[in-house]
Amino acid sequence: FASFIWGGQASAQKIQNLTVLGNERVEPETVRALLETDEGGNFTPDALNRSLKKLFDSGYFSDVKLHVQGDTLVVQVVENPMVNQVQIEGNSEVSDEILKPELSLKPRIVFTQGRLKNDVERLQTIYRLKGHFAAHITPKIIRKDQNRVDVVYEVDEGKPTKVSKIFFIGNNQFSEGKLEETIQTKESRWYRFFTSDDNYDPHRMDYDKEVLRLFYLQHGYADFKVK
């Protein structure tokens, strides 16, 4: 939430005093640097709007109010918390070593809802690429003292999406068995418990398309296409 109160006229107004309130970690000089003016400068409602946007875009604050009364500009801020620690719980198919480097929220990083939303989407994308289309990520924020938070991503991996059947259509020169031997993706069978080749994986599908193209090219089919 952000707001400003303009106590002067619509035209430019000279600011003699500038006060920053509510900041804890962020230095007043940092706030001043994001404003469109300083003591002794002129200010307008448009400059207030631009200053407000800059303050929010910085990612430091969850709330900002600008109050101009007379020749004084008061900047009231509420700082976003700092991340204390990040945990991922419930993941067994995909390790922390794979998931954590993909997160933007890390210890000693400023927490924002935008970063949290992006991290949840990133984790779900990774699970989809691993064939877990039913995976669900639930973020939890635990408030700590000194305006810090612990971020916990609770993972429900669900069951991987299996490939029950592979069909080849339009293959006249090579049998389905021959083509299936060529690609990496396999049909799900009870004895494939040591491999994940029967999990649906979009990246593996792209690889299989290229493998089929090279296979046909090597056999003289220069115009081969996979649709």
Side-chain angles (χ1 to χ4, degrees):
F1 176 76
S3 66
F4 67 82
I5 301 174
W6 181 258
Q9 300 176 351
S11 58
Q13 183 173 340
K14 200 173 191 64
I15 299 298
Q16 298 292 356
N17 304 294
L18 197 158
T19 303
V20 179
L21 302 176
N23 58 307
E24 297 176 5
R25 295 185 311 271
V26 181
E27 297 293 332
E29 290 73 19
T30 301
V31 177
R32 290 171 182 268
L34 295 168
L35 299 173
E36 292 278 325
T37 191
D38 207 336
E39 284 103 338
N42 291 327
F43 224 36
T44 65
D46 286 342
L48 277 173
N49 277 323
R50 292 193 300 270
S51 298
L52 212 55
K53 185 176 186 304
K54 286 183 179 180
L55 288 165
F56 265 104
D57 288 347
S58 71
Y60 293 132
F61 310 110
S62 61
D63 188 14
V64 180
K65 293 187 175 81
L66 301 182
H67 182 198
V68 176
Q69 187 63 50
D71 59 1
T72 299
L73 172 62
V74 178
V75 184
Q76 179 81 46
V77 299
V78 177
E79 293 181 354
N80 276 317
M82 188 74 72
V83 176
N84 180 52
Q85 63 177 346
V86 177
Q87 295 178 342
I88 302 175
E89 298 179 352
N91 55 312
S92 59
E93 295 296 322
V94 187
S95 67
D96 283 6
E97 287 71 20
I98 293 175
L99 297 176
K100 279 195 172 182
E102 300 294 328
L103 301 175
S104 61
L105 288 176
K106 303 178 188 295
R108 296 181 296 279
I109 294 291
V110 175
F111 172 87
T112 68
Q113 289 293 334
R115 286 173 175 164
L116 181 68
K117 180 175 180 291
N118 290 339
D119 283 353
V120 169
E121 292 175 353
R122 180 58 183 157
L123 291 177
Q124 293 196 183
T125 296
I126 293 172
Y127 270 97
R128 285 196 295 269
L129 294 175
K130 296 290 184 180
H132 288 257
F133 285 82
H136 183 70
I137 314 297
T138 303
K140 289 192 174 180
I141 308 303
I142 302 172
R143 298 283 175 179
K144 310 290 285 186
D145 58 2
Q146 299 178 339
N147 199 21
R148 298 174 302 152
V149 294
D150 289 345
V151 183
V152 180
Y153 299 96
E154 293 188 350
V155 180
D156 179 3
E157 293 180 322
K159 293 183 178 180
T161 303
K162 297 289 186 179
V163 177
S164 62
K165 181 64 179 173
I166 299 174
F167 295 94
F168 294 92
I169 300 174
N171 53 307
N172 298 319
Q173 299 300 317
F174 301 100
S175 67
E176 287 194 0
K178 180 62 177 177
L179 296 181
E180 191 169 347
E181 288 177 1
T182 303
I183 63 175
Q184 186 177 355
T185 301
K186 304 300 179 186
E187 293 179 357
S188 183
R189 295 290 186 270
W190 67 268
Y191 52 80
R192 297 196 194 279
F193 50 83
F194 285 127
T195 178
S196 61
D197 287 348
D198 59 346
N199 288 355
Y200 176 72
D201 185 334
H203 283 177
R204 188 186 297 134
M205 290 286 291
D206 290 338
Y207 172 79
D208 287 343
K209 289 179 183 179
E210 181 63 15
V211 166
L212 286 172
R213 188 188 71 82
L214 292 175
F215 173 82
Y216 270 88
L217 184 62
Q218 290 167 358
H219 287 81
Y221 293 83
D223 296 329
F224 172 82
K225 293 180 181 178
V226 179
K227 297 182 180 180

